[in-house]
């Protein structure tokens, strides 16, 4: 069965007229009858091409300030008529409705208008009515009609016109219908989410118009796709394609570094900081971050909140790492870092991200507010007789930032704004503490006089006892255990200072 259909007529009505000219010229070369509206009609006429105004078909002008142009039975009848249905064809003849085989249309830029911060009335005017209706109607009748719903499809459409000389197969039309419903469903999702910003109706609607296929997922046997616009967040200056696991680490790195104003360098592995330090200059920050765990740093993700200098690049280049992220790089620093061809070098451009997080779960999705709470000195409540010194408070707040961005259960040990060690992802808080102490000892980092941070309360006094015996002098934790007093009593008896934040920072 031959399912090829020739395009004899086309309705063209677009908001964005860029890249439209080659399409018009090709349709003209194929002797296809053109219909159009308003500004698009004027654009076509300026090319010296004959075009029929849609008003000449409908006998109605564009009304309501352009809100109603194509919404008419003589337009939609010509699109929706089933060419193999005798009754439909008879009605076209009865009401003098021309068949429309091809529709080229785009939608008002609603998403861009919202992103621009425009007033609500301007946003509302960018809710397309005629365009979205044309897209749905033409896509629905894909057996007979062909829909081009975005300028991103122009080149593919031109190739089709060239290779099939103005004809299309059922497969072609169905694929373009698929793209059309992708465009229309995304558009409607964006409109709904705009209206739902203040209401917060408990409905889960997220949409990304296209995905970026990754080399693989978490493991080579898994498929991976990223939905989003990475180019809005980073400029990639060098290196191979970013992987699924890279993205997980990059997300963790970006969220962690955002907590720090001082010159800070962090090294992450499997979404957790294995080294981080704040210093007066970047080279010192790097060296002290690396000292926290030079073994785990191998193959890690590096991030800093300051420009990478030549001197810093020379030191950084001494180890193997996958990714480095910074707000900028000195030109001579880039020369050093680019010597490894696969090394991914990113400039971070954006630091504002969605305030909602979601993940697939069983047969649905979990949604929550992002943890944006970060305690400052005024939030700390001293729970013990001994209060932490000014220097200890600075270290407590430093450690608390790290513990917030580490996998639970987690304990962080820090001293002089340097991560000494952490225990992460443990089923027991005591185990997390013991892991941290062991790591610090393994790398000859003294924790005498260090501080300890915990992402959640201590259910018993055992953790503060182990910490004290290892040399910890000050503790920060949320508090809230029914047995808080046991930990307080132990600290008071042994001269350990402890503060409560009142905020738990679980991360799973």
């Amino acid at each position: 069965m031959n399912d090829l259909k020739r395009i004899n007529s086309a309705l063209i009505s677009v908001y964005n007229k860029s890249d439209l000219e080659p399409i018009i010229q090709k349709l003209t070369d194929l002797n296809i009858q053109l219909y159009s509206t308003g500004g698009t009609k004027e654009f076509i006429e300026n090319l010296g091409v004959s075009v029929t105004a849609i008003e000449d078909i409908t006998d109605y002008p564009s009304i309501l300030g352009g809100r109603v142009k194509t919404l008419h039975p003589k337009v939609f009848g010509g699109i929706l008529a089933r060419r193999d249905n005798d009754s439909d064809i008879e009605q076209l003849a009865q009401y003098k409705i021309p068949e429309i085989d091809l529709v080229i249309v785009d939608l008002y830029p609603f998403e861009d208008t919202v992103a621009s911060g425009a007033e609500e009335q301007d946003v509302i005017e960018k809710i397309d009515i005629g365009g979205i209706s044309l897209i749905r109607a033409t896509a629905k009748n894909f057996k007979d009609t062909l829909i081009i719903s975005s300028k991103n499809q122009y080149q593919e459409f031109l190739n089709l016109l060239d290779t099939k000389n103005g004809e299309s197969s059922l497969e072609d039309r169905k694929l373009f219908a698929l793209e059309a419903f992708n465009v229309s469903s995304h558009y409607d999702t964006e409109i709904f989410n705009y209206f739902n910003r203040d209401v917060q109706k408990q409905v889960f609607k997220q949409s990304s118009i296209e995905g970026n296929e990754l080399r693989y997922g978490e493991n080579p046997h898994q498929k991976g796709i990223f939905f989003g616009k990475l180019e809005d967040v980073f400029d990639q200056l060098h290196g191979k394609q970013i992987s699924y696991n890279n993205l997980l680490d990059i997300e963790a790195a970006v969220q962690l570094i955002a907590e720090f104003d001082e010159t800070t360098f962090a090294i992450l592995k499997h979404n957790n900081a294995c080294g981080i330090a704040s210093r007066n200059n970047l080279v010192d920050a790097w060296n002290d971050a690396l000292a926290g765990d030079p073994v785990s740093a191998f193959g890690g993700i590096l991030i800093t909140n300051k420009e990478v200098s030549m001197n810093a690049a020379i030191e950084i280049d001494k180890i193997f790492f996958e990714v480095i992220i910074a707000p900028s790089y000195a030109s001579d620093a880039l020369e050093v870092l680019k010597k490894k061809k696969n090394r991914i070098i990113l400039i971070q451009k954006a630091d504002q991200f969605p305030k909602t997080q979601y993940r697939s779960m069983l047969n649905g999705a979990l949604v929550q507010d992002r943890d944006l709470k970060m305690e400052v000195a005024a939030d700390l409540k001293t729970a013990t007789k001994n209060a932490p010194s000014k220097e200890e408070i600075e270290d407590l707040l430093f450690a608390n930032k790290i513990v917030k961005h580490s996998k639970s259960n987690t304990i962080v040990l820090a001293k002089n704004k340097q991560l000494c060690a952490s225990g992460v992802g443990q089923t027991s808080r005591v185990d997390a503490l013991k892991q941290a102490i062991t790591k610090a000892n393994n790398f000859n980092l003294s924790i005498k006089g260090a501080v300890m941070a915990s992402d959640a309360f201590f259910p018993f006094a055992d953790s503060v006892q182990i910490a004290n015996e290892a040399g910890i002098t000050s503790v920060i934790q949320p508090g809230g255990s029914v047995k808080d007093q046991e930990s307080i009593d132990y600290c008071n008896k042994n001269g350990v200072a402890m503060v409560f934040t009142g905020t738990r920072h679980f991360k799973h």
Side-chain angles (χ1 to χ4, degrees):
M1 180 178 177
N2 185 4
D3 62 5
L4 286 175
K5 286 187 177 290
R6 176 163 182 78
I7 301 169
N8 293 307
S9 58
L11 169 59
I12 307 172
S13 182
V14 296
Y15 180 87
N16 184 345
K17 297 164 186 64
S18 61
D19 301 326
L20 183 61
E21 182 176 351
I23 298 279
I24 301 300
Q25 298 294 355
K26 186 64 181 179
L27 295 176
T28 303
D29 292 343
L30 292 168
N31 296 315
I32 293 171
Q33 169 69 52
L34 303 184
Y35 302 102
S36 192
T37 62
T40 308
K41 174 178 170 290
E42 183 179 344
F43 175 86
I44 295 171
E45 288 175 333
N46 288 338
L47 296 176
V49 173
S50 176
V51 57
T52 300
I54 207 71
E55 292 89 343
D56 294 343
I57 298 174
T58 64
D59 293 325
Y60 272 90
S62 173
I63 62 173
L64 307 182
R67 281 189 163 197
V68 180
K69 294 192 286 284
T70 58
L71 294 168
H72 194 281
K74 284 196 171 183
V75 175
F76 283 85
I79 294 169
L80 286 165
R82 292 158 290 190
R83 306 322 195 240
D84 59 358
N85 184 299
D86 291 341
S87 176
D88 285 7
I89 299 304
E90 288 172 6
Q91 289 183 57
L92 291 185
Q94 178 183 357
Y95 297 109
K96 299 180 180 179
I97 301 173
E99 293 182 6
I100 297 175
D101 304 318
L102 165 69
V103 173
I104 301 175
V105 66
D106 62 5
L107 299 173
Y108 291 157
F110 177 85
E111 202 171 349
D112 291 342
T113 305
V114 172
S116 74
E119 295 294 326
E120 182 171 282
Q121 187 55 42
D122 294 328
V123 172
I124 298 305
E125 287 305 316
K126 289 300 185 291
I127 296 177
D128 207 307
I129 303 300
I132 202 82
S133 301
L134 289 169
I135 287 173
R136 291 178 63 84
T138 313
K140 175 179 179 176
N141 200 28
F142 68 86
K143 280 185 64 179
D144 298 304
T145 57
L146 177 63
I147 177 66
I148 305 301
S149 53
S150 166
K151 67 185 295 292
N152 295 331
Q153 300 160 18
Y154 284 1
Q155 189 57 56
E156 185 179 359
F157 177 54
L158 275 173
N159 293 340
L160 175 67
L161 292 175
D162 285 334
T163 56
K164 295 185 177 175
N165 198 32
E167 293 183 322
S168 66
S169 68
L170 180 63
E171 182 183 12
D172 296 327
R173 296 189 296 277
K174 194 169 185 178
L175 283 173
F176 278 107
L178 168 69
E179 291 297 332
F181 287 121
N182 183 25
V183 168
S184 65
S185 62
H186 176 76
Y187 196 76
D188 284 339
T189 296
E190 292 302 313
I191 294 171
F192 171 83
N193 286 335
Y194 173 79
F195 278 90
N196 197 39
R197 291 186 305 178
D198 297 326
V199 179
Q200 294 295 302
K201 185 177 177 63
Q202 292 185 4
V203 174
F204 182 71
K205 291 183 184 292
Q206 295 294 327
S207 176
S208 182
I209 202 70
E210 61 182 335
N212 299 303
E213 187 167 351
L214 306 172
R215 297 198 305 275
Y216 50 79
E218 203 161 4
N219 298 291
H221 62 276
Q222 295 171 268
K223 184 176 181 179
I225 302 172
F226 175 73
F227 294 96
K229 297 179 179 179
L230 266 185
E231 64 274 13
D232 290 348
V233 184
F234 303 108
D235 283 333
Q236 182 168 352
L237 306 182
H238 186 72
K240 62 185 179 181
Q241 181 189 11
I242 297 172
S243 72
Y244 183 100
N245 289 329
N246 288 157
L247 284 170
L248 293 178
D249 283 329
I250 288 169
E251 156 77 6
V254 165
Q255 298 301 331
L256 172 61
I257 204 69
E259 305 285 4
F260 296 89
D261 295 321
E262 295 177 79
T263 299
T264 301
F265 223 121
I267 308 168
L268 287 90
K269 198 76 172 287
H270 296 292
N271 314 155
N272 295 297
C274 57
I276 181 169
S278 295
R279 294 291 181 263
N280 291 327
N281 69 79
L282 196 61
V283 173
D284 288 345
W286 162 253
N287 286 330
D288 288 344
L290 181 62
D293 187 347
V295 174
S296 295
F298 182 86
I301 306 295
L302 316 184
I303 189 166
T304 180
N305 54 4
K306 303 298 178 184
E307 179 174 277
V308 176
S309 65
M310 173 65 163
N311 289 338
I314 291 171
E315 294 300 314
I316 294 164
D317 191 53
K318 293 177 180 177
I319 72 163
F320 167 74
F321 59 89
E322 290 263 352
V323 181
I324 183 168
I325 309 164
S328 60
Y329 302 83
S331 57
D332 49 4
L334 278 177
E335 291 180 16
V336 172
L337 296 174
K338 285 182 176 181
K339 289 178 180 178
K340 302 291 194 302
K341 69 175 183 177
N342 288 329
R343 180 178 284 164
I344 297 169
I345 303 175
L346 302 176
I347 288 180
Q348 184 179 342
K349 300 187 292 186
D351 58 6
Q352 298 298 314
F353 300 99
K355 296 181 180 180
T356 302
Q357 293 176 304
Y358 45 89
R359 63 169 76 176
S360 61
M361 186 60 55
L362 299 175
N363 62 345
L366 272 177
V367 180
Q368 70 168 355
D369 296 335
R370 188 181 291 277
D371 184 0
L372 299 176
K373 171 73 172 172
M374 191 67 259
E375 294 71 39
V376 296
D379 298 318
L380 307 184
K381 178 184 176 183
T382 302
T384 52
K385 294 176 182 177
N386 270 5
S389 66
K390 179 178 178 294
E391 291 75 17
E392 284 177 324
I393 289 175
E394 290 182 352
D395 278 345
L396 289 170
L397 294 173
F398 175 87
N400 196 46
K401 291 174 182 179
I402 303 168
V403 89
K404 170 186 169 181
H405 293 277
S406 301
K407 297 288 187 180
S408 300
N409 287 312
T410 182
I411 293 289
V412 166
L413 307 180
K415 184 177 178 181
N416 298 328
K417 296 183 182 178
Q418 176 191 21
L419 173 62
C420 298
S422 61
V424 298
Q426 298 301 303
T427 53
S428 157
R429 199 157 303 281
V430 168
D431 285 346
L433 173 57
K434 289 179 178 178
Q435 181 189 62
I437 293 170
T438 299
K439 283 189 70 175
N441 290 335
N442 286 344
F443 297 115
N444 298 315
L445 287 172
S446 172
I447 54 175
K448 301 293 183 184
V451 305
M452 173 173 71
S454 175
D455 61 334
F457 64 62
F458 297 114
F460 306 103
D462 48 3
S463 290
V464 291
Q465 179 179 348
I466 294 168
N468 173 57
E469 291 171 352
I472 301 299
T473 58
S474 192
V475 177
I476 186 170
Q477 60 137 320
S481 169
V482 295
K483 295 189 176 182
D484 273 347
Q485 195 59 47
E486 291 185 9
S487 295
I488 293 170
D489 289 343
Y490 179 88
C491 289
N492 283 336
K493 183 178 179 181
N494 292 276
V496 177
M498 183 163 63
V499 298
F500 290 170
T501 65
T503 302
R504 188 181 72 185
H505 287 297
F506 270 167
K507 183 182 179 187
H508 296 102

